[in-house]
Amino acid sequence: MTQIDTATCMMLVRSIAEEIAASKAKPRPDAPIRDIIQHARAVSRAAQTTLRSALEKRCPTIEWADEDDGPAGQTYWLYDPIDGAYHWAQGLPLWASSLVLVRDGEPVMSMVYAPAMKEAFVAGKGAGATCNGVPLQLSGKRDLGAAVVGGAIPPIGQVGPAMQDEALHLLRSVAREVFVVRPMAAASLQLAYVAAGRLDAYVETGREAADWLAGALLIREAGGAVTDLAGNAFGWSGDGVLAANRALHPALREVIRQAGEAGRIENPLLRHAE
């Protein structure tokens, strides 16, 4: 089995992310959304090529997966150079680069690097999770009414009105039961913040496992729980993500179940989940 040098992987991810952050070649503020998206994709493709070339020299037997195509083989890398591309394009700091190694459907090593804060979140299966070398610690909150919860509202132009409505319904249902909901950053970074105890939980609709796998391992290794919205095992085939400490996770799962039964969330998996 190929030995993975975590420090080298993080060094490569960090270096590329900081180059992206420092680049002045960005679209005009008044550029059409289409041009902004195309530019972000071009930057992302270049970063993918750079990291893939570097890691293939070190780990030639490990495959690569595309976040849009789903899993590839038994062991593969999944890399997102700009998670939170709209934040990055807008000049907001809360975007991140993420890299995860997946084996037999499970993340076994992951890292999330936030260049604006110079924070490197790293986790290994069975080896714990850290930020800049300091062990992560989940929030100790047990009262759902005091919880600060992260989330996401996808752009209507990207997902359409039905999926955006579902995301809004989910966040509204959760917001009624917690202290506050704050969709504040890239998904991988918000999940890292759950692992670090800065957010108490994170919820999101959709089937964006590629955005969630790196953060999911951080939370698990910090001692938290990560499932899909129906409470099933988290993975490529699940619908949505629910991440929290083990005291808040069941309470949030019940809020989501009740919202599904009341028809505020249209996904049939949520309405009929046990």
Side-chain angles (χ1 to χ4, degrees), residues 29-76:
D30 61 342
I33 289 296
R34 179 187 66 254
D35 293 352
I36 293 172
I37 292 172
Q38 288 177 348
H39 181 76
R41 286 176 175 170
V43 173
S44 183
R45 284 193 299 269
Q48 288 267 3
T49 299
T50 300
L51 185 64
R52 181 168 182 168
S53 176
L55 288 184
E56 282 182 340
K57 293 176 183 177
R58 295 166 171 81
C59 311
T61 63
I62 298 178
E63 298 183 43
W64 281 75
D66 186 278
E67 60 181 336
D68 296 322
D69 295 337
Q74 290 185 317
T75 304
Y76 55 89

Side-chain angles (χ1 to χ4, degrees), residues 152-230:
I153 303 170
I156 193 168
Q158 179 179 320
V159 302
M163 290 186 66
Q164 189 186 70
D165 283 346
E166 187 171 327
L168 290 168
H169 290 326
L170 172 65
L171 294 184
R172 184 173 63 213
S173 299
V174 170
R176 291 170 176 169
E177 305 298 331
V178 304
F179 176 63
V180 70
V181 172
R182 284 286 184 266
M184 60 185 295
S188 63
L189 194 52
Q190 290 191 76
L191 289 166
Y193 287 174
V194 173
R198 300 174 189 175
L199 289 172
D200 301 309
Y202 182 81
V203 295
E204 187 177 352
T205 57
R207 294 181 178 271
E208 306 297 330
D211 290 342
W212 306 327
L213 282 166
L217 184 62
L218 288 168
I219 292 168
R220 286 174 177 167
E221 288 300 315
V226 185
T227 65
D228 69 10
L229 291 177

